[in-house]
Amino acid sequence: MAPLITHPEAFPASPPYDLDDPGVIAAHDWAAFECISEMRDHWQRAGWSPGTRAYYWLLSITDPAFTDQAAHCQEVVRGLGAFDLISLGDFHATLGRVGLVDAVREDQLDRLARMVSADPPQAFPLTAIPLTGSRGALRYSVAPWTPLVDLHRRLVAASAAVGLPAMKPSSRLRPHIGIGYCNQLLPAGPVRDAVGPLRALPAIPLLVDRVDLVELRREPAAYKWRVIHTIQLPISASAD
């Protein structure tokens, strides 16, 4: 597998030196967050407007243990008054944009889903590690990255094979699970002070056994989607 690369638009810009060790990944994410002096308004990102709709691959995170802990983390940061918190049914890990709705035909989506379904990777365990942040959001670190990068590479290759727009390369992937989007410019120090104690919470084990192809839209202070196709990942004895 080709290595991940340093890229200024990724966060963290450089990948961790170990893609599978939970402690290394969590420490790397936090170190990147510690380097930020201020947080930005997530909703001012280029490429999105209220009418934008696009197809994405994502992992829906619905495990009750994760949802309960994430809700607790959200309550801790709610008083900062600077975050649009993700609804409890909408936690997800984004794997990448397939294309804008106007640029992708339905038959291409069907072919894409069939191609991925024909040779899916095995389901795999994933650990959600509280808590860290980025330039415009609060999020969980996740580990290991290797199976996520492998899944992403398969999705990128399938997209290219059916003639869809090029997805961002897997070398820029920085997996995470968000819990809230920053809605204003503010100093990062008080946010880190609030988030820091949450890092003592236990990590949550998850199982990735499906990936969803969705039509994503941006609503006021939230992302919403409808599922177009769900690809089931076969469960092996080691992942069960």
Side-chain angles (χ1 to χ4, degrees):
M1 184 174 70
L4 302 192
I5 63 170
T6 297
H7 195 283
E9 294 181 10
F11 190 90
S14 62
Y17 69 83
D18 187 319
L19 299 185
D20 295 329
D21 186 288
V24 169
I25 292 170
H28 185 78
D29 284 351
W30 184 255
F33 189 38
E34 283 188 312
C35 290
I36 295 173
S37 60
E38 61 183 19
M39 297 190 70
R40 307 173 185 171
D41 185 347
H42 171 87
W43 306 113
Q44 297 302 313
R45 296 171 66 189
W48 277 97
S49 67
T52 300
R53 293 184 300 142
Y55 297 114
Y56 273 79
W57 289 108
L58 58 77
L59 306 176
S60 297
I61 310 297
T62 58
D63 184 277
F66 175 86
T67 300
D68 289 348
Q69 188 186 83
H72 167 70
C73 293
Q74 289 178 327
E75 283 304 311
V76 170
V77 301
R78 190 182 300 276
L80 295 171
F83 294 92
D84 295 316
L85 302 174
I86 296 173
S87 298
L88 301 190
D90 291 341
F91 295 124
H92 62 281
T94 303
L95 289 179
R97 179 185 285 199
V98 174
L100 293 171
V101 167
D102 292 342
V104 179
R105 302 189 310 271
E106 185 175 343
D107 66 290
Q108 289 177 303
L109 292 179
D110 294 341
R111 289 170 56 206
L112 176 62
R114 288 197 300 271
M115 180 166 288
V116 176
S117 295
D119 185 28
Q122 294 287 318
F124 55 89
L126 191 69
T127 301
I129 309 162
L131 194 67
T132 188
S134 66
R135 290 181 288 257
L138 296 176
R139 63 201 209 177
Y140 276 68
S141 300
V142 297
W145 281 18
T146 296
L148 289 167
V149 175
D150 175 66
L151 173 58
H152 190 270
R153 292 186 193 281
R154 292 170 184 252
L155 300 178
V156 170
S159 237
V162 301
L164 288 165
M167 292 177 62
K168 286 184 180 179
S170 301
S171 58
R172 290 172 53 181
L173 186 66
R174 304 292 188 266
H176 60 274
I177 304 170
I179 68 164
Y181 302 110
C182 189
N183 57 28
Q184 58 190 271
L185 188 68
L186 81 161
V191 179
R192 283 193 293 270
D193 290 343
V195 168
L198 298 172
R199 294 171 57 75
L201 293 172
I204 302 295
L206 304 171
L207 176 66
V208 177
D209 60 358
R210 69 191 188 282
V211 57
D212 292 326
L213 178 59
V214 306
E215 180 188 310
L216 190 75
R217 64 189 185 276
R218 199 174 87 177
E219 296 186 350
Y223 292 105
K224 296 293 182 180
W225 61 86
R226 68 181 182 94
V227 176
I228 308 297
H229 292 286
T230 294
I231 312 302
Q232 297 294 145
L233 309 184
I235 298 176
S236 67
S238 60
D240 193 352

